[in-house]
């Protein structure tokens, strides 16, 4: 088979029918460009949901009940930006005749402020200060015990009682934080438990699975480390749902575009069917005719896809400079609790999936015109064409 | 030698059967020009299609240079057409997206000729058929006469044993048609190509070695 002959002929067919070629290419490019942008936008939305959910408090990897023999320094790997140490203390908060049992979490406020968004969720008063005997209450608890910033309350932790000044009240929108937790700084005299919790923040672009593998290889024998994908199954599901929706969209849009292209291309082939008949009369086989038609479809799609991907990349780049602020629509959504500024992110999938899917569809689209030519006798094509 | 024996072709049109060719038999010697004369609908095109393996007869045999064309498989018929046959249709039927030169090159590339041979052969045909000035023109910019000459050049480029021409002069004025036939006749004699021309153009008669009168699918007369 003389592939270069068919390639040259396919190019010539497309060039001579440049108006039809241009219209079909334009249609495909617009669809591809739009899908590249939409997938990048979906990537950006997923990124911001992960950032909001992990950056708020837990980090990308959270550790529970870590023994005191392991220090935060032990967990500081090259791919880690910060390890926040926290101590969970079962406590009862007492104010006048009101009591509220909850978990009091002792933290290092300066480190929390440097690496998590949690401090941004203070709705009254202020965030905690390093080493101070003070407390940050969740809104529900503050209402239950009737406390305001500036009040002093008693924190009963085991057999010990501490006088704690209410520094502020927080509300994150995350149920697990808003209902049963209060925070205080690690201060002098506070009796800390044997175990601690870790919030591990990773450098941007670190692969979560490799990070987990690295921790398990470190020989520290930590059973309590969990990636966010395990500790936040709801978020994992949402992201999967996001992916499924985008993939369905890709298939539907490209399916419709391919159907349109198949129709247009079939008309394109039918209008010149006599030429295919002449080729067959010259001894060109059905397979070679099919290859010629498929090459035209593939060439057109490859060129249009390249243009579409470039256009999509350009759109991602231009929108990505300022981001898209969705805060109006996400103000009551905990997955956007800290920020709703979306930065579309181009990925290999975003740039690769639409052209790959379209290539698959374009072969299906080529089948119709190929069948139109192959199903008729050469002499009929020539006489009717 | 091209030899047809008792060739019959019947088409089914709905429930009715239409006999297009009935017991057609004749022979054409190698290098000769056979003319099939007949009115529209007499079966000329069907006869050419059967000889060229574009259609299959229900009865009879088509023997081209010792090959039973009607018995060949689809793949072998393709191969036979590719190597042994050339076609010239009524209105040229050039590949509109290829220039005159590329149209002539096409069967040569299809038959895997070396590029030097292709260049030489194309240059010779362009020169011989006075097409050098329009070698790189697209078919849409050629006159009808030029388009038919390109179609003829394409038909004989790969040196086929047989050239089938279906009404080659029908779209041309008398003078241009005559000029084309003169060129076709001269070149086919030089290259010993057997030609079967279906036409109702009586101007071609002086060039023919064999004249067959086809009417209602039957050979009504044969003159050498």
């Amino acid at each position: 088979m003389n592939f270069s002959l068919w390639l040259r002929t396919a190019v010539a067919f497309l060039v001579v029918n440049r108006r039809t070629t241009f219209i079909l290419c334009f249609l495909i490019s617009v669809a591809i460009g739009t899908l590249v942008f939409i997938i990048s936008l979906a990537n950006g939305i997923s990124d911001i949901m992960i950032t909001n959910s992990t950056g708020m408090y837990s980090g990308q990897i959270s550790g529970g009940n870590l023994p005191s023999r392991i220090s935060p320094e032990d967990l500081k790997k090259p791919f880690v930006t910060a390890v926040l140490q926290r101590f969970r203390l079962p406590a009862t908060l007492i104010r006048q005749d009101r009591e509220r049992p909850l978990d009091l979490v002792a933290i290092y406020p300066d480190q929390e402020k440097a690496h998590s968004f949690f401090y941004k969720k203070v709705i009254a008063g202020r965030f905690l200060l390093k080493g101070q005997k003070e407390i940050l209450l969740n809104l529900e608890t503050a209402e239950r015990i009737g406390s305001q910033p500036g009040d002093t309350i008693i924190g009963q932790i085991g057999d010990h009682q501490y006088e704690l000044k209410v520094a502020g009240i927080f509300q994150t929108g995350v149920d697990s934080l808003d209902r049963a937790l209060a925070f205080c700084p690690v201060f002098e005299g506070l009796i800390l438990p044997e175990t601690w919790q870790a919030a591990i923040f990773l450098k941007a672009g670190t692969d979560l699975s490799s990070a987990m593998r690295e921790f398990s290889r470190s020989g520290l024998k930590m059973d309590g480390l969990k990636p966010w994908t395990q500790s936040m199954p709801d978020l994992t599901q949402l992201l999967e749902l996001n992916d499924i929706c985008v993939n369905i969209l890709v298939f539907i849009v490209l399916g419709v575009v391919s159907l349109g292209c198949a129709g247009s291309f079939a008309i394109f082939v039918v209008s010149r069917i006599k030429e295919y008949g002449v080729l067959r009369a010259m001894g060109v086989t059905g397979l070679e005719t099919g290859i010629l038609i498929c090459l035209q479809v593939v060439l057109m799609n490859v060129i249009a896809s390249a243009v579409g991907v470039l256009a999509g990349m350009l759109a991602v780049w231009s929108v990505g400079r300022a981001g898209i602020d969705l805060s109006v629509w996400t103000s009551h959504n905990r997955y956007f609790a800290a920020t709703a500024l979306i930065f579309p992110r181009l990925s290999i999938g975003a740039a690769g999936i639409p052209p790959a899917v379209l290539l698959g569809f374009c072969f299906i689209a080529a089948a119709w015109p190929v069948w139109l030519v192959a199903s008729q006798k050469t002499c009929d094509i020539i006489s009717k064409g | 030698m091209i030899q047809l024996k008792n060739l019959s072709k019947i088409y089914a049109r709905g429930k009715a059967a239409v006999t297009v060719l009935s017991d057609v038999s004749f022979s054409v010697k190698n290098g000769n020009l056979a003319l099939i004369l007949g009115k529209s609908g007499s079966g000329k095109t069907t006869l050419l299609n059967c000889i060229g393996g574009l259609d299959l007869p229900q009865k009879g045999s088509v023997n081209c240079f010792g090959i039973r064309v009607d018995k060949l498989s689809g793949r072998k018929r393709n191969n036979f057409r590719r190597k042994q046959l050339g076609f010239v249709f009524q209105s040229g039927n050039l590949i509109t997206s290829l220039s005159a030169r590329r149209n002539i090159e096409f069967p040569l590339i299809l038959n895997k000729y070396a590029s030097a041979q292709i260049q030489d052969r194309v240059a010779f045909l362009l020169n011989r058929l006075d097409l050098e000035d329009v070698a790189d023109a697209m078919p849409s910019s050629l006159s009808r006469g030029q388009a038919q000459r390109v179609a003829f050049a394409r038909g004989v480029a790969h040196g086929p044993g047989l050239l089938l021409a279906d009404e080659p002069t029908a779209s041309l004025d008398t003078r241009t048609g005559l000029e084309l036939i003169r060129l076709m006749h001269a070149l086919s004699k030089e290259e010993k190509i057997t030609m079967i021309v279906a036409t109702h153009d009586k101007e071609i008669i002086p060039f023919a070695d064999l004249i067959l009168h086809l009417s209602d699918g039957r050979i009504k007369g044969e003159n050498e």
Side-chain angles (χ1 to χ4, degrees), chain B residues 76-194:
Chain B
K76 285 182 176 166
R77 256 186 296 141
N78 257 324
N79 211 31
F80 167 76
R81 283 203 301 270
R82 185 180 287 213
K83 288 183 166 37
Q84 294 286 347
L85 274 190
F87 279 95
V88 177
F89 299 97
Q90 187 172 333
S91 49
N93 283 339
L94 299 175
I95 309 299
T96 52
S97 39
L98 302 178
S99 66
R101 184 193 302 278
R102 299 274 179 232
N103 264 284
I104 300 168
E105 271 179 10
F106 201 92
L108 294 163
I109 300 172
L110 207 57
N111 282 293
K112 297 181 179 146
Y113 278 70
S115 65
Q117 278 178 297
I118 294 172
Q119 278 184 6
D120 289 350
R121 180 69 174 154
V122 172
F124 166 76
L125 288 168
L126 287 170
N127 174 270
R128 186 75 174 77
L129 297 168
D130 196 19
L131 289 166
E132 280 166 320
D133 293 344
V134 291
D136 296 312
M138 297 307 278
S140 56
S141 60
L142 298 177
S143 69
R144 284 180 181 180
Q146 286 168 333
Q148 282 302 74
R149 273 184 280 153
V150 174
F152 172 64
R154 185 182 65 183
V156 296
H158 55 299
L162 175 64
L163 182 81
L164 299 174
D166 190 7
E167 303 277 13
T169 58
S171 59
L172 308 177
D173 59 69
T174 311
R175 197 176 62 83
T176 316
L178 211 57
E179 199 179 313
L180 175 74
I181 285 297
R182 208 170 277 137
L183 278 168
M184 285 172 74
H185 180 251
L187 196 65
S188 61
K189 286 290 174 199
E190 272 170 37
E191 303 202 344
K192 297 188 172 56
I193 297 169
T194 309

Side-chain angles (χ1 to χ4, degrees), chain A residues 28-329:
Chain A
I28 295 166
S29 298
V30 168
I32 293 282
T34 307
L35 287 173
V36 168
F37 182 74
I38 287 173
I39 296 174
S40 302
L41 194 63
N43 285 341
I45 291 172
S46 296
D47 289 349
I48 211 73
M49 284 167 77
I50 295 168
T51 305
N52 275 313
S53 302
T54 60
M56 172 68 78
Y57 182 71
S58 67
Q60 284 91 341
I61 297 173
S62 55
N65 298 322
L66 299 176
S68 53
R69 66 181 163 78
I70 298 170
S71 73
E73 290 305 313
D74 292 333
L75 303 179
K76 276 196 178 157
K77 305 282 177 195
F79 51 83
V80 171
T81 53
V83 179
L84 303 184
Q85 192 176 30
R86 293 161 184 161
F87 300 92
R88 191 174 275 239
L89 306 154
T92 304
L93 302 182
I94 306 160
R95 184 173 181 268
Q96 294 165 349
D97 57 342
R98 298 180 190 179
E99 290 186 2
R100 169 78 164 162
L102 47 58
D103 279 345
L104 185 61
V105 181
I107 58 171
Y108 294 98
D110 46 349
Q111 286 184 23
E112 294 283 343
K113 219 169 164 176
H115 298 289
S116 72
F117 301 144
F118 177 60
Y119 73 95
K120 291 182 179 175
K121 307 313 282 187
V122 173
I123 55 168
R126 59 165 172 80
F127 191 62
L128 301 166
L129 295 174
K130 184 183 176 183
Q132 299 296 307
K133 284 174 81 173
E134 56 189 21
I135 191 165
L136 186 68
L137 295 174
N138 66 61
L139 180 63
E140 190 186 318
T141 301
E143 284 173 353
R144 282 265 185 101
I145 63 173
S147 189
Q148 295 289 324
D151 291 349
T152 301
I153 60 170
I154 303 294
Q156 170 93 39
I157 304 168
D159 297 335
H160 302 272
Q161 283 198 339
Y162 301 93
E163 271 196 2
L164 302 167
K165 193 176 169 190
V166 177
I169 295 167
F170 72 89
Q171 189 182 27
T172 62
V174 180
D175 284 353
S176 56
L177 294 176
D178 287 347
R179 287 211 175 135
L181 292 183
F183 295 88
C184 71
V186 174
F187 56 81
E188 204 179 327
L190 179 66
I191 296 168
L192 297 171
E194 291 292 303
T195 58
W196 59 283
Q197 274 76 42
I200 302 171
F201 290 83
L202 305 179
K203 284 181 181 165
T206 305
D207 177 54
L208 198 58
S209 317
S210 346
M212 286 305 291
R213 273 200 300 278
E214 192 64 34
F215 280 124
S216 59
R217 271 205 295 265
S218 65
L220 290 170
K221 291 188 181 166
M222 295 167 293
D223 300 328
L225 288 190
K226 270 187 187 174
W228 66 263
T229 46
Q230 277 179 32
S231 58
M232 299 180 200
D234 53 335
L235 176 62
T236 311
Q237 275 188 341
L238 263 181
L239 297 178
E240 283 170 1
L241 197 65
N242 195 12
D243 278 350
I244 290 168
C245 290
V246 168
N247 287 336
I248 290 172
L249 183 77
V250 169
F251 273 86
I252 290 174
V253 170
L254 291 182
V256 170
V257 168
S258 300
L259 201 65
C261 285
S264 309
F265 201 75
I267 294 167
F268 180 59
V269 168
V270 167
S271 67
R272 309 165 65 245
I273 200 162
K274 200 164 184 174
E275 288 185 30
Y276 291 99
V278 172
L279 289 176
R280 298 291 303 273
M282 287 164 72
V284 172
T285 63
L287 177 69
E288 287 167 331
T289 315
I291 287 171
L292 179 61
I293 293 172
C294 283
L295 271 175
Q296 290 175 66
V297 180
V298 169
L299 275 174
M300 204 162 57
N301 278 285
V302 166
I303 294 164
S305 290
V307 173
V309 168
L310 277 175
M313 285 166 80
L314 196 68
V316 168
W317 175 77
S318 57
V319 170
R321 292 167 74 189
I324 303 170
D325 191 358
L326 300 182
S327 52
V328 175
W329 298 283

Side-chain angles (χ1 to χ4, degrees), chain B residues 6-12 18 21 50 55-60:
Chain B
N6 306 321
L7 200 72
S8 294
K9 178 75 189 172
I10 300 158
Y11 283 121
V18 180
L21 294 174
C50 288
D55 208 351
L56 289 174
Q58 270 89 9
K59 220 180 83 184

